[in-house]
Amino acid sequence: MVGKPISHSLSPVIHNAGYAAAGLAGWSYTTIECAEAELAAMVAGLGPEWAGLSVTMPCKSATLALAAEVSPVAAAMGAANTLVHRPDGSWYADNTDAAGMIELLGAAGLPPGARFTVLGAGGTARAALAEHGEAGPRRDPGRAELLDHAGG
């Protein structure tokens, strides 16, 4: 996982347990503390043994510029949380947040096209809006309303 700060993340514990359960011997998931300005150099220095990276804030938007190809979802959201290392050494950027949000909203009983309110303008808000066809933070009272919450 790449981002800053990330010392609080439980992702290494979760992913390493998943790798073990799947029998992926030799696979490991670790964190790399990296600011947005350091991202390009850090990614350029990774070898072929890297299958990919999970990307968190503040690096999600900068990730798009590092990829040879960007998924339509990541392009629409203006952010990628996943970089896949291809056999030719290039990177593919994707965003799995929207797919996760689709599953979460469906499990909560929210039907497709339902009206809802999103508080915030970060990655989770973008994913909620992208799930309903709203690429990025914007206001559309007929579908979803984005309310920026500033400090209180």
Side-chain angles (χ1 to χ4, degrees):
M1 171 183 272
V2 176
K4 188 171 187 174
I6 55 173
S7 61
H8 65 282
S9 177
L10 295 177
S11 289
V13 173
I14 295 165
H15 284 82
N16 285 322
Y19 295 157
L24 296 171
W27 282 56
S28 66
Y29 188 102
T30 188
T31 58
I32 301 172
E33 187 97 5
C34 181
E36 184 177 359
E38 305 160 338
L39 183 64
M42 190 278 301
V43 170
L46 297 177
E49 70 278 9
W50 286 84
L53 297 168
S54 296
V55 182
T56 192
M57 296 307 293
C59 299
K60 287 185 175 187
S61 294
T63 299
L64 299 177
L66 304 178
E69 185 180 356
V70 175
S71 76
V73 172
M77 292 177 67
N81 68 350
T82 303
L83 269 179
V84 178
H85 205 187
R86 294 175 160 173
D88 68 0
S90 69
W91 294 91
Y92 175 76
D94 198 3
N95 195 311
T96 60
D97 288 337
M101 188 60 70
I102 290 168
E103 186 174 330
L104 177 67
L105 292 174
L110 193 70
R115 186 179 169 133
F116 61 95
T117 299
V118 176
L119 301 176
T124 303
R126 286 183 184 186
L129 294 172
E131 186 277 328
H132 274 8
E134 302 297 328
R138 63 182 222 201
R139 300 180 197 289
D140 182 349
R143 296 182 59 103
E145 182 180 350
L146 176 68
L147 303 174
D148 296 317
H149 184 341

Coordinates of all heavy atoms in Angstrom, one line a residue, residues 1-8 30-35 38 42 59:
M1 N 0.8 -1.2 0.0 CA 0.0 0.0 0.0 C 0.9 1.2 0.0 O 1.9 1.3 0.7 CB -0.9 0.0 1.2 CG -1.7 1.3 1.4 SD -2.7 1.4 2.9 CE -4.1 0.7 2.2
V2 N 0.5 2.2 -0.8 CA 1.3 3.4 -1.0 C 0.4 4.6 -0.6 O -0.7 4.7 -1.0 CB 1.7 3.6 -2.4 CG1 2.4 4.9 -2.6 CG2 2.6 2.5 -2.9
G3 N 0.9 5.5 0.2 CA 0.2 6.7 0.7 C 0.9 7.3 1.9 O 1.9 6.8 2.3
K4 N 0.3 8.4 2.4 CA 0.8 9.0 3.5 C -0.3 9.8 4.2 O -0.9 10.7 3.6 CB 2.0 10.0 3.1 CG 2.7 10.6 4.2 CD 4.0 11.3 3.7 CE 4.8 11.7 4.8 NZ 6.1 12.3 4.4
P5 N -0.5 9.5 5.5 CA 0.1 8.5 6.3 C -0.6 7.2 6.1 O -1.8 7.1 5.7 CB -0.2 9.0 7.7 CG -1.5 9.8 7.6 CD -1.5 10.4 6.2
I6 N 0.1 6.1 6.5 CA -0.5 4.7 6.3 C -0.2 3.8 7.5 O -0.6 2.7 7.5 CB -0.1 4.1 5.0 CG1 1.4 4.0 4.9 CG2 -0.7 4.8 3.8 CD1 1.9 3.2 3.7
S7 N 0.5 4.3 8.5 CA 0.9 3.4 9.6 C -0.3 2.8 10.3 O -0.2 1.8 10.9 CB 1.8 4.2 10.6 OG 1.1 5.3 11.1
H8 N -1.5 3.5 10.2 CA -2.7 3.0 10.9 C -3.4 1.9 10.1 O -4.3 1.2 10.6 CB -3.7 4.2 11.0 CG -4.1 4.7 9.7 ND1 -3.4 5.5 8.9 CD2 -5.3 4.5 9.0 CE1 -4.0 5.8 7.8 NE2 -5.2 5.2 7.8
T30 N 2.7 -5.1 1.9 CA 3.4 -4.2 2.9 C 3.0 -2.7 2.6 O 2.2 -2.5 1.7 CB 4.9 -4.3 2.7 OG1 5.6 -3.6 3.7 CG2 5.4 -3.9 1.3
T31 N 3.4 -1.8 3.5 CA 3.1 -0.4 3.3 C 4.4 0.3 2.9 O 5.5 0.0 3.4 CB 2.5 0.2 4.6 OG1 3.4 0.0 5.6 CG2 1.2 -0.5 4.9
I32 N 4.2 1.3 2.1 CA 5.3 2.2 1.7 C 4.8 3.6 2.0 O 3.9 4.1 1.3 CB 5.7 2.0 0.3 CG1 6.2 0.6 0.0 CG2 6.8 3.1 -0.1 CD1 6.4 0.3 -1.5
E33 N 5.3 4.3 2.9 CA 5.0 5.7 3.2 C 5.5 6.6 2.1 O 6.7 6.6 1.8 CB 5.6 6.1 4.6 CG 5.1 7.5 5.0 CD 4.0 7.4 6.0 OE1 3.5 6.3 6.4 OE2 3.5 8.5 6.4
C34 N 4.6 7.2 1.4 CA 5.0 7.9 0.2 C 4.1 9.1 -0.1 O 2.9 8.9 -0.2 CB 5.0 7.0 -1.0 SG 5.5 7.7 -2.6
A35 N 4.6 10.3 -0.2 CA 3.8 11.5 -0.5 C 3.6 11.6 -2.0 O 4.3 10.9 -2.8 CB 4.5 12.7 0.0
E38 N 6.6 12.2 -4.3 CA 7.6 11.1 -4.3 C 7.1 9.9 -5.1 O 7.9 9.0 -5.4 CB 7.9 10.6 -2.9 CG 8.3 11.7 -2.0 CD 8.2 11.4 -0.5 OE1 7.4 10.5 -0.1 OE2 8.9 12.0 0.3
M42 N 9.2 6.6 -6.8 CA 9.1 5.3 -6.1 C 8.6 4.2 -7.0 O 9.1 3.1 -7.0 CB 8.1 5.5 -4.9 CG 8.0 4.3 -3.9 SD 7.0 3.0 -4.4 CE 5.4 3.8 -4.6
C59 N -2.2 10.0 -2.9 CA -1.6 9.6 -4.2 C -2.6 9.1 -5.3 O -2.2 8.8 -6.4 CB -0.5 8.5 -4.0 SG 0.8 9.0 -2.9

